[in-house]
Structures are given as structure tokens and as C-alpha cells.
Amino acid sequence: MRRLFIDGTLTEYMIIEGDDARHLLYAMRVKPGQRIVVADKKGIIAETEIIKCETQRVFLHLLHKLSDQKNESDIEIVLVQCLPKGDKMDYIVQKAAELGVNKIIPVMSCNCVVRYDLEKREKRQQKWQKIAEEASKQCGRGSVPQIAAITDLSTCLDMAEGYNACICYENEKHMSLNQYLKNHDGMNYMLFIGPEGGFTLDEAARCKIRGINSISLGNRILRTETAALAAVTIVQYEKGDLGNQAQQK
Ligand code: SAM
């Protein structure tokens, strides 16, 4: 879930104004009823519900404080995963949850072999959400990654606004993820991973046009599940909490 850091302190009802409001309204395109996590300067974190949106203000209602956030990374990672064959997605969801991913968006891209009807899409989303909950419980996370409904690549390109967004592209020969992360700071990252058949040239070009950076994970061609977890691990290690000294238990 997206996380907003506020200067003030958390109260039952909050009015977000200024840049934060504009980011919520025009980059994240939030709507009443949606939920976002809000963290204040003292490190108190809470889940809130958007109750009203005006052109320059967003009204929030605090639902509940989120305890035990010591097991949550400070950064947000969204994994945009093109649907792989078989039950590989179960594995990717489980491992991404352990690695601290906040949201997984399953994508039906051109080269995806699997094709799900509406009923199967809903069933798969519920199954993956359950896997994410179990994995989060097992590793002691403070929150559970949200598994979005299966969508298309264009929708994800719109969602990438406001993120440090990268397409892991097997044909990228210049920019490594490591170099990209050295040149980019921030708290919100979005990683695009192709299916077994990879991204089409047109998909890669559309990502580039939208400012989504093409990055390489090295010269070897990784399986989609390997690439997803390698990319998440690198971002979490370089920018998040993987590899920090052990937290006080
Ligand atoms: N069809 C591609 C080919 O044969 O060249 C392979 C696609 S690979 C199995 C699946 C996905 O993993 C790719 O679309 C990409 O997102 C990611 N990937 C694999 N190896 C990569 C690399 N060396 N650099 C960047 N991304 C990679």
C-alpha cells in the first residue's frame, strides 16, 4: 500500500494539503474509499481511509495504527509481474512477500502464454493474496503486500507516475540496475518484469516513452522468477532494509 510521510502528527481526521495533496490527487490519483498508509515524523504509522477529495485537499480518516513496523522496509516496492506459465506466480508472490514487496500487479502482456477468463482472474488474485498473507505471517511482517487485479501494461504505465520505475529488459546493454539506483533516490520503486517470452519491442518502447528506465540485470538471461526476485533483492538491499544490521527483536 502506498505510504505518505507527513510533517504533522497523526490524528483521527487529517486534511492533507500542498504538495502531498497534489501528489495524492494527481500522481497517485486517489479516490474516496481507498486506503493509504500514513507515517508521521515520530515514526508512528497508521492505515487511513480517504473520505473526501477536493482539487487541492485530501481528507483522511485514521482507521488503525500499524504496530510492529520494525519488520517493514521504509521504502515502497511495487512489482509489476507479467504472468508466467504454470504456478510460478505462486512462488514469485511468496518470495516477494518475504523480501518486503508492498504491492504486486499481475500483468497480461503480449508474450504471456497464460490467458485467464474473468472468473479465473479473480480466483488467481484471491489465491495469490492468501499466499502473500501466509508468507507475511511466516516472516513476521507488519503488513501484507496487496495483490492487485490482473491488468494490462498500459494501466501500469499510468500507475508508474511518482515512482522510480524500471523495466528489467534483457536487451538493455548500457544501464545496470546498480547504476540506476546510484543515480536515483526516493522512497517508491516500481519494477517491471516480463514473462518467459520477454517484452516485445513495442512494449519496451512504450515504457521508455513514459520515462520508465530500461535496466539490465547482467549478461545472463534470467528466468522470469529469478529476475523478479533478483531485482527486488537489489533494490531492497541498496535502498531498503535488506542487509541492515539485525533489528532489535
Ligand atoms: N524472451 C527473452 C529472451 O529469450 O531473450 C527472455 C525473457 S526472460 C526469460 C523474462 C524476463 O526476465 C525478461 O522479460 C526481463 O524482464 C527479465 N530478465 C531476464 N534476464 C534479464 C537481464 N539479463 N536483464 C534484465 N532483465 C532480465
Side-chain angles (χ1 to χ4, degrees):
M1 196 177 299
R2 293 300 296 271
R3 183 173 293 198
L4 178 75
F5 292 87
I6 60 170
D7 284 334
T9 50
L10 289 171
T11 53
E12 188 179 1
Y13 289 94
M14 292 169 273
I15 300 177
I16 307 296
E17 299 177 299
D19 289 346
D20 285 340
R22 279 186 288 279
H23 182 74
L24 288 172
L25 291 163
Y26 304 109
M28 292 167 56
R29 295 195 172 87
V30 296
K31 299 273 179 288
Q34 281 180 337
R35 294 183 174 190
I36 61 167
V37 170
V38 177
D40 72 9
K41 284 289 178 217
K42 287 186 285 187
I44 312 284
I45 297 176
E47 187 171 355
T48 68
E49 181 177 359
I50 293 164
I51 47 179
K52 193 167 99 178
C53 295
E54 291 177 354
T55 50
Q56 296 291 329
R57 295 194 305 173
V58 177
F59 295 72
L60 301 180
H61 174 219
L62 190 150
L63 299 175
H64 53 261
K65 288 197 176 155
L66 293 168
S67 61
D68 194 12
Q69 290 303 309
K70 68 179 185 320
N71 287 350
E72 287 301 310
S73 178
D74 284 342
I75 65 167
E76 178 197 19
I77 300 179
V78 177
L79 177 62
V80 178
Q81 177 65 50
C82 296
L83 289 173
K85 287 185 256 184
D87 55 6
K88 277 190 217 172
M89 191 64 169
D90 301 6
Y91 176 80
I92 293 170
V93 166
Q94 185 187 63
K95 298 310 165 200
E98 291 173 52
L99 288 167
V101 161
N102 303 87
K103 182 172 184 180
I104 298 175
I105 308 176
V107 173
M108 190 68 84
S109 65
C110 292
N111 287 338
C112 286
V113 172
V114 291
R115 291 279 173 237
Y116 297 137
D117 60 22
L118 201 57
E119 189 192 347
K120 217 165 188 181
R121 284 171 177 238
E122 281 162 9
K123 281 217 169 76
R124 283 289 188 285
Q125 183 187 5
Q126 289 158 9
K127 176 183 170 193
W128 294 329
Q129 188 62 66
K130 202 152 174 31
I131 290 172
E133 279 155 19
E134 285 159 7
S136 302
K137 220 176 281 162
Q138 175 275 325
C139 67
R141 288 192 59 172
S143 59
V144 176
Q146 180 196 351
I147 309 298
I150 296 173
T151 186
D152 57 31
L153 191 64
S154 309
T155 308
C156 293
L157 298 183
D158 293 339
M159 291 178 184
E161 294 265 333
Y163 281 89
N164 283 320
C166 296
I167 170 177
C168 294
Y169 189 41
E170 58 277 21
N171 299 326
E172 172 59 40
K173 297 301 173 219
H174 306 292
M175 177 64 74
S176 72
L177 179 52
N178 195 10
Q179 286 162 304
Y180 171 80
L181 293 174
K182 281 200 172 69
N183 305 334
H184 291 78
D185 274 327
M187 304 301 282
N188 307 95
Y189 295 86
M190 187 175 278
L191 301 169
F192 288 66
I193 304 288
E196 289 86 353
F199 288 107
T200 64
L201 288 174
D202 172 59
E203 288 171 334
R206 279 162 51 207
C207 286
K208 273 194 184 126
I209 290 166
R210 299 293 293 269
I212 294 174
N213 302 273
S214 165
I215 61 94
S216 167
L217 292 170
N219 294 328
R220 291 183 291 280
I221 297 293
L222 308 176
R223 292 178 191 275
T224 183
E225 63 272 28
T226 314
L229 302 177
V232 166
T233 300
I234 292 166
V235 173
Q236 195 68 277
Y237 181 82
E238 290 296 336
K239 301 290 185 181
D241 67 354
L242 203 61
N244 288 357
Q245 70 281 4
Q247 303 273 357
Q248 294 77 19
K249 290 289 172 206

